[in-house]
Amino acid sequence: MRDLAPRLPSSPGFWRSPLRGPRFTSVLGLVLLVGITVLFVTGLLSYAAYNPDLAPVNDKTPDKGILGFYLFAWPTDPPWLYRLTQGVHVTLGLTLIPVLLAKLWSVVPRLFTLPPVRSLAHALERISLLLLVGGALFEFVTGVLNIQLDYLFPGSFYPLHFYGAWVFFAAFVAHAVLKTPQALRNLRAMREEREERGEREELDDLVSPRPAAPTVTRRGALWFVGGGSLLIFATDAGRSFDGPLRATAVLSPHGGPEPGSGPNGFQINKTAAHVGIDPAETGEDTWRLVVTGRSGTVRFSRAELLAMEQHSVALPIACVEGWSTSDQWWRGVRLRDLAARVGHEDDPPDVFVESLQRRGAFRSGALRANQVADPRSLLALYVNGEELSPDHGHPARIIVPAAPGVLNTKWVARMTFGDLR
């Protein structure tokens, strides 16, 4: 008996949009296939950039087991590497949101089909679909909340996003294996149909048996989704740059005008006051840098550091949240020169860096030997020709090429050189 007035979502005629169909879904699915693969790879690169096996403070994903693999120690060349990979990760993730929402909308009838399981293969497909939809929403929502600085989720963002990514990607791979051949067949059929200039009725459970009158073509709907993605890209990508482009990042908390002006007028994540830096501890008479290594411990005042050979480098700062600055000119003492002062003249080792910071994550961090040895890695005392401001790490901060921003420790108090593994 024909269902003329279906009231339940499980009824085929309940979903009446004439836009739904396998070819519309296939186009969106193939875009996501490429985009999410890039997201996953750049996410693993971001994880590797923290050198998580170097020291526990660098790894915010305990008990990760075999999921915590990576294939190489994070390099220092090119110096803009993390700026590129994490900028792509965050900007692409935001840009794909309209595509993801459109894809979920296009397949929503399948979430209500009855019977829910028809065979073992169908059961596996349904489970993968559940994990795929749930994982996608979880990853995109937590990612957006993180870059918007709204930590509404319980626990740390790092393990939530890390483990969620593995669940989501496993389901994504299973779904892609099952559906990619069908998507390619649908696209070939679209091409053949255009060549024949004919119209063929799509036979698929996504096609409504009683479609409503169309208000837009499927091509128009795809252009609408693409336009939404382009709009998000245009209003977010600018935060990876300085100058006029930054003002276009109106959807980003780190977009718009620079925070202040002058040599220290470039982006920061947290102020000195926010993390509990006491100005009395950073004064010329009170602050000392404690450096420990093979030959013992040495204490340096800022004046003593300034008396050492000074070097200048142009390096950006790039954050896990996707924002970055252009190159700033840093001036200070090379890390390898500090290592030499405590007995590591020829073989600069790893270093453990501790901050005066009292609140928040990454009050300390570890750098690998290759980062310490790089001649561009500095304990910076000046930026753009002026003393560091309190918010940029006065009296001294780390700056290392290609390292995530949180490993460029500010308000440095102690450095311990030695093998940390």
Side-chain angles (χ1 to χ4, degrees), residues 36 100 104 127-143 160-161 163-172:
I36 288 176
L100 174 68
L104 294 178
I127 292 172
S128 72
L129 184 62
L130 178 63
L131 293 175
L132 181 68
V133 173
L137 293 175
F138 179 83
E139 285 297 285
F140 278 81
V141 168
T142 55
L160 289 174
H161 205 66
Y163 293 125
W166 277 108
V167 172
F168 166 59
F169 196 72
F172 175 75

Side-chain angles (χ1 to χ4, degrees), residues 76-226:
T76 55
D77 276 310
W80 40 260
L81 178 61
Y82 190 73
R83 184 183 187 189
L84 172 66
T85 59
Q86 194 61 14
V88 168
H89 182 77
V90 173
T91 303
L92 179 60
L94 291 171
T95 302
L96 287 177
I97 287 176
V99 183
L100 174 68
L101 294 178
K103 177 65 160 49
L104 294 178
W105 172 85
S106 73
V107 298
V108 71
R110 287 182 177 159
L111 299 179
F112 297 94
T113 56
L114 295 176
V117 174
R118 296 191 295 267
S119 65
L120 178 59
H122 186 242
L124 293 175
E125 180 183 340
R126 298 282 285 182
I127 292 172
S128 72
L129 184 62
L130 178 63
L131 293 175
L132 181 68
V133 173
L137 293 175
F138 179 83
E139 285 297 285
F140 278 81
V141 168
T142 55
V144 169
L145 289 175
N146 181 62
I147 63 176
Q148 294 294 328
L149 308 182
D150 291 326
Y151 301 103
L152 304 179
F153 37 80
S156 169
F157 165 77
Y158 292 94
L160 289 174
H161 205 66
F162 178 82
Y163 293 125
W166 277 108
V167 172
F168 166 59
F169 196 72
F172 175 75
V173 169
H175 190 74
V177 169
L178 291 169
K179 294 298 184 181
T180 298
Q182 179 181 338
L184 293 175
R185 287 195 300 271
N186 289 333
L187 292 181
R188 282 195 296 269
M190 290 175 65
R191 183 174 64 250
E192 292 170 359
E193 184 175 305
R194 286 196 300 270
E195 291 173 353
E196 296 171 2
R197 296 183 180 181
E199 294 293 332
R200 269 186 247 163
E201 182 180 359
E202 296 179 280
L203 300 177
D204 190 270
D205 58 349
L206 294 178
V207 179
S208 175
R210 48 190 301 271
T215 57
V216 65
T217 65
R218 288 176 179 164
R219 179 174 296 181
L222 290 173
W223 276 109
F224 178 76
V225 174

Side-chain angles (χ1 to χ4, degrees), residues 325-408:
T325 73
S326 59
D327 287 351
Q328 311 296 325
W329 275 99
W330 308 91
R331 185 167 177 79
V333 180
R334 285 175 172 167
L335 297 187
R336 68 185 190 184
D337 291 344
L338 288 170
R341 288 294 188 101
V342 289
H344 301 281
E345 291 84 0
D346 302 322
D347 55 341
D350 309 330
V351 64
F352 183 66
V353 184
E354 299 172 79
S355 172
L356 293 172
Q357 179 180 339
R358 288 180 171 80
R359 296 193 295 269
F362 290 99
R363 296 183 292 275
S364 56
L367 299 171
R368 283 191 182 275
N370 68 306
Q371 295 172 311
V372 175
D374 193 295
R376 296 164 296 179
S377 297
L378 301 181
L379 179 74
L381 306 170
Y382 286 83
V383 63
N384 298 324
E386 186 175 279
E387 280 192 11
L388 295 167
S389 68
D391 290 343
H392 279 296
H394 179 83
R397 69 168 296 162
I398 298 293
I399 186 72
V400 172
V406 290
L407 295 182
N408 291 309

